[in-house]
């Protein structure tokens, strides 16, 4: 394979894809294929992990002593259509409640993110070395055991619950960070957006683990049941990248630290994760503060925005790949997806406290905000694979790990703001979110790129 020129730029990247396309068997594009099956299996894995991580966000509404810590929202007491008959039933006498302030709740919400931040980068690197199958499978089983013991941890005390969630965050960081290595070997360039969005859009974890170890393989070559035509299609489309990644070279850490496009991914991902953390963590609490609803109705209302997000996230991946087939520049596709997943979502949230609270307005804004945010999966979250295919598993884990710092800061800071000002706390939370999100987005739109970087090309580096 000829070495890439240092001045080749984006044109060479496009030529590489064109060369691969000439080698690709046309029958390899079927949706009923092993690679889409792999994406679906990872999707179920992420669904289980996300459910384990966020279940406390809805149960917190029932766990805390709401008579002592009642949020206010412009004095609203509006109820759902149907009147007081839909009001919450009293909890069973044996159900424990805890005297946790909004600030303490924020620390509990953030505790899992502390552990997750530490293992995302390491798990991405480890999966590239020993394989995603082992790293993610073992981590999912450990996370499933920890979630089973979470109620007991809460009974033992606040410190015990926080410690359990931190350990759970450690293993869940390995789930989300370790899976990125798969797409180096399973994702043809023009299908990566849809495959990644299918995978990322989302006691059963223990049951699911055996299926993971049986059905998941780290590359097409080792998969025993893959169709021969599909195997040839994937290998030929990734021929150059597989050749490059097979050469073991030390990580160019110094060059990575100097890469402005890489930093733009990290900064923008941080802003987007702040948005996602607020949506996931505080949607049930916000709905509870606006409407008088039972925990059952709160769960249904809180789930609605994320169901829409699941659909839009998958469709966004297909749209991104469609634009690439129409010769739209790769960097343009990544920036469009990133903009649509950031600005409208944060703008809708910041406008919400200034509008008269109503059932239709609140749920419409929350649904649109949450629904559009997954479009970033076809933007910043896959962008590291464009900049450095050779080091993508490490970089995607690292950028996710740095961005996940927002997941531990956002609930902590928001809990403090809500605790300080019960009347205008939500307004302050959403204004801060908008400022952080917009700053990261502007930085990425200016400095973001999608060209293979010089330090990631097939050449020997003289020093780190």
């Amino acid at each position: 394979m000829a070495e890439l020129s240092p001045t080749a730029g984006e044109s060479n990247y496009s030529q590489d894809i064109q060369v691969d396309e000439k080698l690709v068997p046309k029958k390899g594009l079927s949706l009923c294929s092993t690679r889409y099956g792999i994406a679906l299996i990872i999707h179920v894995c992420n669904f289980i992990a996300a459910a384990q991580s966020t279940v406390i966000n809805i149960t917190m509404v029932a766990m805390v002593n709401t008579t002592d810590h009642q949020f206010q929202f412009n004095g609203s007491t509006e109820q759902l259509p149907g009147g007081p008959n839909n009001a919450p039933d009293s909890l069973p006498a044996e159900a424990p409640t805890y005297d946790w302030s909004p600030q303490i709740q924020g620390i509990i919400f953030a505790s899992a993110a502390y552990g997750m931040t530490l293992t995302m980068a390491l798990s991405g690197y480890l999966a590239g070395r020993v394989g995603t199958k082992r790293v993610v499978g073992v981590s999912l089983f450990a996370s499933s055991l920890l979630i089973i013991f979470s109620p007991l941890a809460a009974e033992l005390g606040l410190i015990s619950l926080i410690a359990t969630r931190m350990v759970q965050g450690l293993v869940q960081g390995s789930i989300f960070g370790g899976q990125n290595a798969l797409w180096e070997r399973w994702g043809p360039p023009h299908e990566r957006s849809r495959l990644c969005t299918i995978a990322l859009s989302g006691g059963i974890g223990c049951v699911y683990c055996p299926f993971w170890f049986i059905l998941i393989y780290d590359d097409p070559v080792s998969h025993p049941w893959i169709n021969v035509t599909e195997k040839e299609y994937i290998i030929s489309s990734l021929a150059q990248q597989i050749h490059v990644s097979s050469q073991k070279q030390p990580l160019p850490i110094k060059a990575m630290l100097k890469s402005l496009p890489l930093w733009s991914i990290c900064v923008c991902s941080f802003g987007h994760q702040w948005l996602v953390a607020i949506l996931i963590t505080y949607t049930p609490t916000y709905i509870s503060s606006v409407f008088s609803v039972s925990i059952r109705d709160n769960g249904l209302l809180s789930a609605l925005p994320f169901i829409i997000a699941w659909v839009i996230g998958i469709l966004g991946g297909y749209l991104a790949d469609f634009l690439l087939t129409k010769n739209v520049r790769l960097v343009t596709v990544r920036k469009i997806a990133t903009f649509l997943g950031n600005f409208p979502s944060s703008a809708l949230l910041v406008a919400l406290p200034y509008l008269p609270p109503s059932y239709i307005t609140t749920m419409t804004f929350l649904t649109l905000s949450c629904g559009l945010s997954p479009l970033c999966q076809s933007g910043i979250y896959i962008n590291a694979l464009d900049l450095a295919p050779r080091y993508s598993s490490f970089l995607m884990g690292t950028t996710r790990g740095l961005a996940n710092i927002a997941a531990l800061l956002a609930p902590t800071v928001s809990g403090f703001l809500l605790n300080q000002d019960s009347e205008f706390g939500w307004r302050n939370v959403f204004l801060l979110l908008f400022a952080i999100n917009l700053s990261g987005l502007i930085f990425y739109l200016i400095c973001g790129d999608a060209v293979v970087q010089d330090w990631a090309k097939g050449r020997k580096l003289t020093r780190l």
Side-chain angles (χ1 to χ4, degrees):
M1 184 187 71
E3 183 179 355
L4 296 176
S5 170
T7 59
E10 187 172 354
S11 60
N12 272 6
Y13 180 80
S14 301
Q15 291 173 4
D16 291 343
I17 295 180
Q18 292 172 3
V19 171
D20 289 341
E21 286 178 337
K22 294 177 181 179
L23 301 174
V24 173
K26 297 301 181 183
K27 293 182 180 180
L29 296 172
S30 172
L31 287 176
C32 299
S33 58
T34 304
R35 63 188 182 278
Y36 282 91
I38 294 289
L40 181 60
I41 294 171
I42 299 176
H43 171 83
V44 176
C45 172
N46 287 335
F47 176 84
I48 295 171
Q52 293 173 353
S53 178
T54 60
V55 65
I56 197 171
N57 300 339
I58 182 65
T59 57
M60 184 67 73
V61 176
M63 291 172 68
V64 297
N65 190 338
T66 55
T67 59
D68 291 340
H69 306 288
Q70 182 67 43
F71 293 106
Q72 299 292 328
F73 184 81
N74 297 339
S76 173
T77 58
E78 180 176 353
Q79 297 177 337
L80 289 178
N85 292 332
N86 288 338
D89 299 324
S90 60
L91 291 174
E94 65 272 12
T97 57
Y98 305 93
D99 187 19
W100 294 335
S101 69
Q103 190 169 357
I104 295 298
Q105 293 175 43
I107 294 174
I108 295 173
F109 289 143
S111 56
Y114 282 90
M116 204 176 294
T117 302
L118 298 176
T119 54
M120 275 197 173
L122 178 62
S123 62
Y125 178 79
L126 186 63
R129 293 289 183 176
V130 303
T132 298
K133 180 176 182 175
R134 296 184 182 92
V135 172
V136 176
V138 172
S139 300
L140 179 61
F141 183 75
S143 176
S144 302
L145 290 179
L146 288 167
I147 196 65
I148 293 174
F149 291 104
S150 292
L152 176 61
E155 283 290 306
L156 293 176
L158 179 61
I159 300 300
S160 175
L161 176 61
I162 292 176
T164 301
R165 283 183 53 79
M166 289 183 68
V167 176
Q168 185 183 2
L170 286 172
V171 295
Q172 287 197 332
S174 300
I175 296 175
F176 295 117
Q179 63 187 252
N180 298 317
L182 277 180
W183 303 122
E184 294 180 31
R185 300 174 176 87
W186 279 100
H190 279 166
E191 295 183 34
R192 282 174 178 164
S193 296
R194 72 189 78 170
L195 287 170
C196 286
T197 52
I198 291 173
L200 291 172
S201 298
I204 69 172
C206 295
V207 177
Y208 178 75
C209 284
F211 294 96
W212 172 272
F213 285 109
I214 293 172
L215 298 175
I216 290 293
Y217 289 83
D218 292 318
D219 54 63
V221 177
S222 61
H223 200 290
W225 310 307
I226 188 173
N227 181 275
V228 175
T229 302
E230 183 184 3
K231 180 188 293 186
E232 293 176 354
Y233 164 68
I234 297 174
I235 293 176
S236 60
S237 67
L238 298 175
Q240 297 177 346
Q241 292 184 10
I242 291 177
H243 178 74
V244 170
S245 62
S246 64
Q247 302 175 0
K248 294 184 179 180
Q249 293 186 2
L251 292 171
I253 300 296
K254 186 176 180 180
M256 291 177 179
L257 292 175
K258 292 182 177 180
S259 176
L260 202 58
L262 190 58
W263 276 110
S264 70
I265 295 176
C266 294
V267 174
C268 189
S269 297
F270 178 90
H272 185 258
Q273 280 300 309
W274 194 289
L275 166 68
V276 171
I278 296 298
L279 285 170
I280 292 177
T281 304
Y282 282 105
T283 293
T285 306
Y286 185 80
I287 291 175
S288 179
S289 71
V290 178
F291 308 112
S292 177
V293 295
S294 67
I295 188 171
R296 180 197 62 186
D297 292 338
N298 195 330
L300 293 174
L301 292 175
S302 300
L304 176 61
F306 295 96
I307 294 174
I308 302 300
W310 173 70
V311 175
I312 293 180
I314 294 177
L315 294 178
Y318 278 90
L319 177 60
D321 287 336
F322 172 77
L323 292 176
L324 290 176
T325 61
K326 298 302 179 181
N327 296 322
V328 179
R329 295 179 64 207
L330 183 59
V331 65
T332 303
V333 173
R334 297 292 183 241
K335 289 185 176 181
I336 289 175
T338 301
F339 176 84
L340 293 178
N342 277 281
F343 183 77
S345 296
S346 58
L348 287 168
L349 287 181
V350 80
L352 196 54
Y354 295 93
L355 300 175
S358 71
Y359 166 68
I360 295 178
T361 302
T362 299
M363 292 311 304
T364 299
F365 274 51
L366 286 176
T367 301
L368 289 175
S369 178
C370 190
L372 292 173
S373 64
L375 292 175
C376 277
Q377 293 171 3
S378 303
I380 48 175
Y381 292 122
I382 196 177
N383 200 182
L385 196 56
D386 307 321
L387 299 180
R390 178 200 299 268
Y391 309 112
S392 60
S393 60
F394 171 75
L395 290 178
M396 291 177 75
T398 301
T399 54
R400 283 294 185 95
L402 292 175
N404 201 62
I405 296 175
L408 63 91
L409 291 178
T412 305
V413 174
S414 299
F416 174 79
L417 293 175
L418 292 171
N419 195 54
Q420 295 297 311
D421 190 342
S422 60
E423 183 177 358
F424 298 104
W426 289 115
R427 183 177 301 178
N428 298 333
V429 167
F430 293 148
L431 283 173
L432 178 61
L433 180 156
F434 183 74
I436 294 175
N437 185 264
L438 185 61
S439 299
L441 176 61
I442 293 175
F443 185 43
Y444 177 76
L445 293 178
I446 295 174
C447 302
D449 206 342
V451 179
V452 177
Q453 302 296 289
D454 290 341
W455 45 267
K457 293 179 180 178
R459 62 170 70 186
K460 293 183 179 180
L461 298 173
T462 56
R463 63 179 66 178
L464 287 177

